[in-house]
């Protein structure tokens, strides 16, 4: 060749374009690898929170509201169906009537009111004694005991009828505070209401 394209010596011009295809391929491969890693990480997170079976477990389970219903409980007799005799076994006067009046305000029926007989007079050292027939052990006695929680409970197999006795003892000061007593009565006589109100809800997220 002549002119300006004349080749001399062992050097000649390179006329092919620069290698850009290799860089493009490398960029595509890197992108695909990044997407693959991201997808794998997402699957791992799903397995952690679902336990691998699609269900929510572990900490994720705590994010759901959990409801625990109380087991059915047999309702006990209401105060209005229970008749109570109130006897004073102490040397303090007026306790029997005062206590009977308060029990009446709380819904109990009142029978006899007066001093305790010789069997108990000045012999009850605690706050009081609750006495009823054998059938009252798991029915009416627990309801009456809500009004004087630390009183002794006794049953008498020979006792006739369903009437209960409340014998006031030396350490008696007053009946259980009414709000606490009313709450305890509700738990015994209307357990379904308590279950509805105290349904446990847990949500930690």
């Amino acid at each position: 060749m002549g002119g300006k394209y004349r080749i001399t010596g062992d050097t000649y011009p390179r006329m092919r374009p620069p290698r850009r295809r290799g860089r493009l391929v490398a960029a595509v491969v890197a992108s695909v690898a990044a997407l693959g890693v991201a997808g794998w990480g997402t699957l791992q997170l799903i397995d952690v929170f679902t336990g691998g079976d699609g269900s929510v477990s572990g900490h994720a389970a705590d994010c759901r509201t959990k409801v625990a219903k109380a087991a059915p409980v047999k309702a006990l007799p209401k105060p209005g169906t229970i008749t109570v005799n109130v006897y004073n076994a102490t040397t303090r006067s007026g306790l029997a009537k005062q206590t009977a009046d308060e029990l009446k305000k709380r819904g109990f029926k009142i029978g006899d009111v007066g001093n305790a007989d010789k069997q108990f007079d000045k012999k009850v050292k605690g706050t009081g004694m609750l006495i009823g027939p054998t059938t009252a052990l798991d029915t009416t006695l627990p309801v009456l005991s809500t009004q004087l929680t630390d009183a002794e409970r006794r049953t008498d197999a020979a006792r006739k009828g369903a009437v209960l006795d409340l014998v006031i003892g030396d350490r008696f000061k007053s009946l259980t505070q009414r709000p606490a007593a009313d709450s305890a009565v509700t738990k015994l006589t209307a357990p379904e209401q308590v279950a509805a109100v105290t349904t446990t809800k847990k949500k930690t997220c």
Side-chain angles (χ1 to χ4, degrees):
M1 297 176 68
K4 61 180 179 179
Y5 297 106
R6 185 176 182 179
I7 299 175
T8 61
D10 57 357
T11 301
Y12 57 90
R14 299 179 182 275
M15 303 182 70
R16 62 184 177 181
R19 298 180 179 179
R20 296 181 180 177
R21 183 176 300 174
R23 294 180 181 179
L24 180 60
V25 172
V28 171
V29 171
S31 299
V32 172
L35 290 174
V37 171
W40 180 82
T42 301
L43 290 176
Q44 292 301 310
L45 288 175
I46 292 175
D47 285 343
V48 168
F49 286 100
T50 63
D53 61 358
S55 62
V56 179
S57 63
H59 178 71
D62 292 336
C63 296
R64 297 181 301 176
T65 299
K66 297 180 179 179
V67 178
K69 295 183 179 180
V73 178
K74 180 181 178 180
L76 299 186
K78 296 182 180 298
T81 65
I82 302 173
T83 300
V84 184
N85 299 325
V86 183
Y87 300 116
N88 183 7
T90 75
T91 58
R92 293 173 288 167
S93 62
L95 284 182
K97 185 178 186 308
Q98 177 184 343
T99 302
D101 290 344
E102 182 60 27
L103 284 174
K104 186 175 182 179
K105 291 178 183 178
R106 299 184 183 191
F108 290 87
K109 293 182 178 180
I110 303 302
D112 296 335
V113 179
N115 293 324
D117 59 24
K118 293 181 179 180
Q119 181 182 358
F120 299 110
D121 190 28
K122 301 179 183 63
K123 297 177 182 178
V124 180
K125 302 303 180 183
T127 58
M129 186 178 297
L130 309 180
I131 307 171
T134 303
T135 55
L137 181 61
D138 297 319
T139 55
T140 55
L141 272 179
V143 178
L144 180 57
S145 70
T146 61
Q147 310 303 307
L148 191 60
T149 55
D150 52 356
E152 179 185 350
R153 301 185 203 179
R154 286 190 183 183
T155 58
D156 183 356
R159 192 180 182 98
K160 303 297 183 181
V163 178
L164 306 180
D165 291 349
L166 189 161
V167 183
I168 299 171
D170 292 338
R171 295 183 182 177
F172 178 86
K173 293 182 179 179
S174 66
L175 294 175
T176 301
Q177 293 297 311
R178 187 163 184 175
D182 288 348
S183 177
V185 167
T186 301
K187 290 180 180 179
L188 294 176
T189 62
E192 69 283 353
Q193 295 181 17
V194 177
V197 173
T198 60
T199 297
T200 303
K201 293 184 178 182
K202 180 181 179 183
K203 191 172 184 179
T204 59
C205 292

